[in-house]
Amino acid sequence: MCGIVGYIGHRNAVPILVKGLEHLEYRGYDSAGIACLNLEKENLFIKKEKGKLSELKRELEKHPAYAQIGIGHTRWATHGEPSKLNAHPHVDDKSKIILVHNGIIENHSDLKRELQAKGHRFFSGTDTEVAVNLIASYYKKNNFVEAFRKAISRLQGFYAFVALDKSDPDTLYVFKRSNPLVIGLGKGENFVASDTPALLPFTSDVVFLEDDEYAVLTKDKVKIFSLATGRMIKRHSTRIKWNMAQAQKGGYPHFMLKEIYEQPTVLQEAFNRITNKEDVIRFENMTPRIENRLRKIRKVFMVSCGTAYHAGLTGCLWMEQNAGIPSEARVSSEFRYQKPIVTKNDLVILITQSGETADTLAALREAKTHGAMTLAVVNVLGSTIAREADYTIYTHAGPEIGVASTKAYTAQLVTLVFLSLYMARIKKTLSSRQIAGYLDSIRKLPKACSKALKQSTAIINCAKHQYRRHSFLYIGRGVNFPVALEGALKLKEISYAHAHGYAAGEMKHGPIALIDKNQPVICIAPHSKTRDKMLSNVEEIRARKGIVIAIGTENDKELKKISSYFIPVPKVDESLSAIIAVIPLQLFAYHVAVLNRRDVDQPRNLAKSVTVE
Ligand code: G6P
C-alpha cells in the first residue's frame, strides 16, 4: 500500500514524479503529494492534496514548479485519516529532512514520546512524521547516511523510504525492508519507485533493492549498501520486458475492462510458453534438483490472499485430482499465525499477483522456518516473494492495473493446472496419454474465453435490470465453488453491493432463508457431474421467487428455461470450466459497477498491493 517515487537528473522532476505516481495510484489514492528541492533558489517546494492524484495535478497546474530532484507519494491511510495534513511527503520540525514512506513503523508511539521529550513537535497523525524526526534527531555534521542508518536501526516494522536532505540537493536516499523498491537507471538521471510500471515511461533498466539495503542516488551513480555492514554491494541491472502500451488503457474506458479482454491472449501465451510440440510441460529455470525435491513432496499448501486465494482453492482440487497429492488452500493471514503443521516433505505454494502482499510474504517466511519447499506463483518480476521463494513460476500476465484482479487470476489458474499436470508426470499419477488429452482441453481455452467474452450484451442487459440491488448470492459446486467466491468478491470490490459466495450444497443450511423476489442468485452451473444438482438448487430458488442469473453451457436449454437470465459459456472440460465460468462474472461485476457510477479501477478503501498486515 502507498506508492513512492523519486527522481534525480537533468529534467524537471515534477512531471516525472507525477507520471510515476499515475502508475502507482493502484497502491492507494486517498491523498498524494510531492516535494522537490530547487537547486537555483535553494528552496523546498512541497505540494500535497487530499483525494486522488488528479487533485494534486490540478494544484500543480496552478502552482508550477521546476526542480531536478524530488520525491512523491500516493497514500493508502494506515496511521492518521486521509487528509492533506497526513499526506506525504513529511518533514521534520525544522524542515531539514523530507521523507516519503510505504509501510508501518510499529514502535512509532514509543519513539514519538521519546522525541517529544526532547522537544520535537508533531503536526500529523502519521508514523512517517516520527521516522523523519528520528532521522533529524541523529543528523549531525551533514552526515545524512549516518543519521539514516541510526534511525533505521531503531524503526521496527516493514517499510520503504525515499528521503531528501535539504542541505544536499544532489542526492536521493532510499531504503527497503520488506516493502518493495525498484531503482530505474537512466543516462544522467536515476529513478526510484515502489513498482516497475512507474519507471517504464523513462527506463527499462532496473535494479531491485533487497531487504535491509539502502541506496544513495545521484544523477550519475547508484550505490547500494548493506545496512548491517555499511559495505557497498554490486548488483546487476535487469531489463524489464513489459512495454508501456501494456500499462495503458489502449482505448478501453477502464483498465479492468482492458484486462478482462486480455485474458484469451494471457491463456494462449501461457500455453505456448509452458508446453512444447511434444506435449511436454516445462517451467522456466526448472532444474533436476528442484524436480527431485518436487518428486518427494507429500503434501501441498496453497497460501494466498483475496483473488489469489480463490485461485489456490481451485489449484488444490487440481493438485489432488491430477497429482494425487493431499492439498490445502489457506488464507495467508491465517496460515502465518496458525502454527501450521508443515514439514520438510511439504510444498508451500505462494500465489500472488504483486509478489509483495505482506501476509503472503510472512507465510512464505513461516513455511521456510519449517523447512518446507516454497514455490511462488507470481506475476510481478523481481518482487520480494518471487526472489525469496525456493522456486518461482511467473504467470506473465503483464501489468495488471485495475485493483480488482482479472487476468492475473486466470493466469494463476492456468499456471496451477499446468503445475498439477507437471506434478502428475513426475509422480506418475497420470500417463503421458492422459496428460496429452488434458493439454488438448487446455489448448481450447483461449478460444472458449474469447467466445465467453462475446456475451457482453446479455450481461449488460442483466446488469441493467439488477444493478440497484444491494445483495447478491453466488453459488457453485466443485471447481465452480471457488468461482462463486471469486464472482462475489469481484462484485463487492467494485460495486460495493453485498455479495456472498456459497457452495451450492450449503444453500439449505442458511442462505436459502434470504431468498425472496428481490434476491438475485448467480448460479454457476456449466456442464459437469453436478450440473443436475445445480438445477435442483435453481428450482429451489425459483420456488421461493428468487431471481436466477444462470451461467450455463451454451446449449443447456433446460437451465435456460428455468432461469430469469441465462448467460451461455462454451463447453470445455469440466475441471477447466472454472477458467471460463469466471469471465461472465467479471463482466457482470464490471457493468454493475459502471451503472452505479463507481470508480472501477480504484474502488474506495482498497489498494492493489497490500503491503501492510
Ligand atoms: C488485494 C487486491 C486483490 C488481490 C489481493 C492479493 O486485496 O485488491 O486484487 O487479490 O490483494 O494480492 P496479491 O498481489 O498477493 O495477489
Side-chain angles (χ1 to χ4, degrees), residues 44 166 208 261 425 497 502 510 526:
L44 169 64
K166 199 179 161 199
F208 294 102
Y261 277 88
R425 177 179 67 74
Y502 250 95

Side-chain angles (χ1 to χ4, degrees), residues 1 26 304-309 332 351-358 360 377 380 385 400 402-406 408 412 486 489-490 493 603 606-610:
M1 342 226 56
Y26 72 85
S304 35
C305 300
T307 288
Y309 168 65
S332 312
I351 308 161
T352 167
Q353 189 286 128
S354 62
E356 301 291 349
T357 303
T360 307
V377 174
V380 176
I385 293 173
E400 190 181 65
V403 165
S405 183
T406 52
Q412 285 161 353
E486 176 57 13
L489 178 63
K490 282 294 85 86
E493 279 182 303
L606 297 177
K608 186 149 190 73
S609 187
V610 180

Side-chain angles (χ1 to χ4, degrees), residues 56-76:
L56 177 70
K57 281 198 212 163
R58 209 165 295 142
E59 278 305 300
L60 287 170
E61 268 164 31
K62 282 194 234 152
H63 309 279
Y66 186 88
Q68 289 168 334
I69 179 169
I71 59 181
H73 188 273
T74 178
R75 181 167 187 248
W76 188 89

Side-chain angles (χ1 to χ4, degrees), residues 79-308:
H79 293 66
E81 56 167 17
S83 68
K84 191 166 168 172
L85 187 68
N86 287 331
H88 298 217
H90 285 279
V91 290
D92 65 291
D93 61 356
K94 308 261 173 356
S95 294
K96 283 194 279 182
I97 314 262
I98 311 102
L99 185 74
V100 287
H101 159 216
N102 165 212
I104 290 179
I105 311 295
E106 287 166 357
N107 56 339
H108 67 99
S109 308
D110 293 347
L111 292 171
K112 189 170 182 175
R113 272 193 294 277
E114 181 185 315
L115 289 163
Q116 276 168 332
K118 288 185 187 156
H120 285 263
R121 288 168 308 137
F122 290 87
F123 305 95
S124 78
T126 64
D127 49 351
T128 313
E129 205 186 3
V130 176
V132 73
N133 274 284
L134 188 69
I135 301 170
S137 75
Y138 289 122
Y139 187 79
K140 280 182 196 97
K141 295 186 196 152
N142 286 350
N143 193 341
F144 182 87
V145 167
E146 201 42 38
F148 200 45
R149 287 187 64 196
K150 276 192 180 148
I152 287 165
S153 69
R154 298 209 49 211
L155 295 166
Q156 290 166 13
F158 301 109
Y159 47 87
F161 286 152
V162 184
L164 292 173
D165 171 358
K166 199 179 161 199
S167 66
D168 177 14
D170 295 321
T171 319
L172 266 182
Y173 300 91
V174 307
F175 173 76
K176 165 184 158 42
R177 176 175 290 160
S178 266
N179 286 12
L181 263 192
V182 193
I183 295 167
L185 307 175
K187 287 213 173 81
E189 56 184 355
N190 286 307
F191 312 79
V192 60
S194 299
D195 198 357
T196 42
L199 302 173
L200 286 178
F202 313 109
T203 179
S204 307
D205 293 323
V206 303
V207 174
F208 294 102
L209 213 57
E210 300 280 351
D211 279 355
D212 282 348
E213 288 177 355
Y214 65 92
V216 179
L217 276 63
T218 57
K219 67 185 175 54
D220 299 310
K221 276 209 173 68
V222 170
K223 288 185 184 165
I224 301 174
F225 301 89
S226 149
L227 180 73
T229 63
R231 260 193 228 125
M232 200 157 107
I233 293 166
K234 278 211 170 135
R235 174 92 20 90
H236 291 298
S237 64
T238 307
R239 178 148 288 180
I240 300 292
K241 292 196 189 111
W242 290 357
N243 60 42
M244 268 318 291
Q246 287 177 298
Q248 282 163 350
K249 282 187 201 155
Y252 285 90
H254 297 99
F255 279 111
M256 182 182 177
L257 194 62
K258 174 180 174 244
E259 288 156 7
I260 289 174
Y261 277 88
E262 281 172 350
Q263 290 175 110
T265 313
V266 167
L267 292 171
Q268 187 62 56
E269 285 178 0
F271 192 85
N272 298 346
R273 194 176 54 248
I274 297 175
T275 63
N276 69 8
K277 285 193 191 99
E278 286 78 45
D279 280 344
V280 174
I281 296 168
R282 326 151 290 177
F283 290 112
E284 51 194 337
N285 304 323
M286 179 61 78
T287 61
R289 197 182 60 82
I290 298 167
E291 185 169 299
N292 259 339
R293 203 159 168 206
L294 285 172
R295 193 175 284 116
K296 292 180 194 136
I297 292 302
R298 298 221 190 109
K299 183 169 179 183
V300 169
F301 291 88
M302 299 206 188
V303 185
S304 35
C305 300
T307 288

